[in-house]
Amino acid sequence: MSQDVPEAKVRPEVLIMGAGIAGLTLAILLEQINIPYQIFERATEVKPLGYENLVFSRPRFHEILLKRVPEHKIGFNKNALRIEEKEEKVHVHCSDNTSYAGDILVGADGAYSKVRQSMYGLMDEKGILPKADLENFKVNYTTIVGVATLSNPEKYPKLKEEYSNFNQVIYGDGANCYVITLPDNQISWGFGVQLSESPLKEMYSKNSEWTPEIKDTTLERYRDFPCPVGGTMGELFDATPRHLISKVFIEEKMFKTCYNSRSILIGDGVSDILFTYFTYPSTQQFHPSGGQGAQHAIQDAISLANCLYSMKDNSLESISSTFGEYYKQRYDRNVAKFNRSTHAAKILNGQVNMEKTSMIEWPSVPKTSKDLTDLPCI
């Protein structure tokens, strides 16, 4: 008696834009459930930002994730110029004259996600993008962060304690700093500075040009400030490798739309909110004050991987249904975290300061959805 052999389940081919925490976490999960994928990272190498959490350093965590992804599945120096859908596939065209096609495109490429820019541009042309998603980002803080490795740990008794020690200092000039002790004689530090409206546009236009000289000028202002765990802040600056110092703007925005057709956003591309010194996925961005960016990106990746695993087939109908399920799982949670993050920022930075928010004149959608070359490189 012949028996019917069940057909092997067809898995979608997934293109992941961005090799940050969200993109790498998703890749690791897809690897485990045998869903084919490829990561495209615009940088020539991955440089994790210097934000730390209370357990161990974010750069180290990022390094662990990177090692779990096969090297041949990550393409560096892949700058997307154009994204289009044709012949039941989504196609990504890069500046090095290479093109890639897949069933699904995941935008894990940060607050200024090119996937989101392309997706929103197409939706706006069709008149189906919510008006709120076209509104500008709100920006009122910039932050500079680093990870110091101390050669004289005896000067910092708190490094010997079993638990990480967190210290936050609020200054009267619209600035605040944090210092966190970590294992292996490391200290994470960061400064948040409120921006006035007058220099905002000029600073924003240079956000991708943080040269060592600009970093040094910013840090010079705080060199002589006392460090909450001993010594001065300048001593921490000097003990921090330059590649572990980063300066970024803190934007605030919660997008309503995180998917359309074959494209979906995770991480800072979904929400751009105040979380305590970082950004979240491609749909929201959190102010570092809430400390939720990395964990939120991980949760996004887990939810999306679970939804992709349950997909019936690679049809557009099935993809839309899968994305809708992901949206139901994540959106309300994202909104709640966005609000908590904003409240945390008000507590740490001051209610009055937070209400003096400036607006940067940078659109959420490029002039043409077919041209991604003019987007900011953050």
Side-chain angles (χ1 to χ4, degrees):
M1 180 182 295
S2 63
Q3 293 182 342
D4 293 333
V5 178
E7 294 183 9
K9 189 172 183 179
V10 178
R11 299 295 191 185
E13 295 183 33
V14 180
L15 308 181
I16 303 172
M17 297 298 296
I21 287 179
L24 292 178
T25 302
L26 179 61
I28 291 170
L29 296 171
L30 296 183
E31 186 79 25
Q32 293 178 345
I33 58 179
N34 296 318
I35 292 181
Y37 67 90
Q38 183 71 33
I39 300 176
F40 305 98
E41 169 59 45
R42 68 174 297 162
T44 55
E45 61 179 355
V46 173
K47 176 201 169 189
L49 296 178
Y51 173 71
E52 304 283 331
N53 66 18
L54 298 181
V55 180
F56 64 100
S57 72
R58 178 168 177 151
R60 184 171 301 175
F61 176 57
H62 192 274
E63 181 182 349
I64 292 172
L65 293 178
L66 191 60
K67 288 181 178 179
R68 295 288 303 277
V69 178
E71 291 185 9
H72 69 279
K73 292 191 176 184
I74 304 180
F76 290 102
N77 200 25
K78 294 295 181 180
N79 184 19
L81 294 182
R82 185 163 54 91
I83 298 170
E84 64 176 344
E85 290 187 25
K86 62 180 181 180
E87 300 174 350
E88 298 184 348
K89 294 283 185 178
V90 57
H91 299 257
V92 177
H93 304 280
C94 300
S95 58
D96 59 358
N97 293 322
T98 57
S99 298
Y100 305 88
D103 299 299
I104 289 172
L105 175 62
V106 179
D109 48 343
Y112 289 89
S113 168
K114 289 194 173 183
V115 176
R116 190 185 68 235
Q117 297 281 358
S118 176
M119 185 176 78
Y120 278 18
L122 291 172
M123 294 178 70
D124 186 42
E125 289 175 4
K126 296 178 181 179
I128 60 175
L129 184 69
K131 184 178 179 180
D133 285 340
L134 293 171
E135 295 175 356
N136 296 329
F137 290 109
K138 285 196 297 183
V139 179
N140 63 353
Y141 270 87
T142 184
T143 184
I144 186 165
V145 295
V147 184
T149 300
L150 288 313
S151 59
N152 54 341
E154 65 281 352
K155 187 174 182 177
Y156 306 91
K158 291 188 179 296
L159 285 173
K160 300 179 181 180
E161 296 182 1
E162 181 180 0
Y163 300 100
S164 290
N165 186 280
F166 177 86
N167 298 268
Q168 183 92 27
V169 180
I170 302 173
Y171 306 109
D173 60 351
N176 66 85
C177 84
Y178 73 85
V179 172
I180 306 172
T181 58
L182 300 167
D184 302 323
N185 299 324
Q186 288 190 318
I187 293 180
S188 168
W189 55 267
F191 280 94
V193 181
Q194 186 170 11
L195 302 172
S196 60
E197 190 168 4
S198 54
L200 185 58
K201 292 181 181 179
E202 178 183 357
M203 293 178 66
Y204 180 76
S205 67
K206 298 179 179 179
N207 200 35
S208 60
E209 303 171 6
W210 293 123
T211 64
E213 292 75 18
I214 294 177
K215 290 179 182 177
D216 290 341
T217 300
T218 305
L219 294 178
E220 193 65 31
R221 174 182 176 187
Y222 302 105
R223 286 196 65 84
D224 297 329
F225 280 45
C227 174
V229 295
T232 65
M233 292 303 300
E235 291 172 316
L236 292 188
F237 303 158
D238 295 339
T240 304
R242 280 296 179 262
H243 73 281
L244 289 182
I245 297 179
S246 298
K247 186 172 182 178
V248 294
F249 282 102
I250 304 300
E251 301 95 345
E252 177 183 9
K253 185 166 177 72
M254 181 74 199
F255 295 99
K256 294 181 177 295
T257 307
C258 76
Y259 71 93
N260 181 62
S261 191
R262 295 180 179 273
S263 298
I264 190 165
L265 306 169
I266 65 174
D268 288 340
V270 180
S271 47
D272 222 12
I273 16 186
L274 306 174
F275 91 101
T276 305
Y277 289 115
F278 253 86
T279 48
Y280 159 59
S282 305
T283 311
Q284 308 91 277
Q285 178 141 345
F286 300 101
H287 192 285
S289 306
Q292 302 182 57
Q295 64 158 318
H296 207 77
I298 293 170
Q299 291 168 356
D300 270 6
I302 293 172
S303 291
L304 181 57
N306 285 333
C307 291
L308 293 176
Y309 182 76
S310 301
M311 270 183 58
K312 294 180 179 180
D313 52 52
N314 291 342
S315 67
L316 186 57
E317 180 182 2
S318 182
I319 291 173
S320 297
S321 176
T322 298
F323 288 174
E325 178 59 32
Y326 167 83
Y327 184 87
K328 287 193 297 184
Q329 291 181 19
R330 297 302 299 156
Y331 186 75
D332 288 345
R333 294 176 181 269
N334 291 349
V335 172
K337 289 193 175 184
F338 183 100
N339 293 334
R340 287 198 296 269
S341 175
T342 301
H343 292 326
K346 288 182 178 180
I347 292 172
L348 293 175
N349 303 314
Q351 174 90 22
V352 175
N353 286 341
M354 290 296 297
E355 290 177 349
K356 293 179 180 178
T357 304
S358 299
M359 293 291 291
I360 58 172
E361 295 301 323
W362 192 261
S364 297
V365 178
K367 293 180 180 179
T368 168
S369 60
K370 298 180 180 179
D371 185 7
L372 302 179
T373 58
D374 294 330
L375 300 182
C377 175
I378 305 301

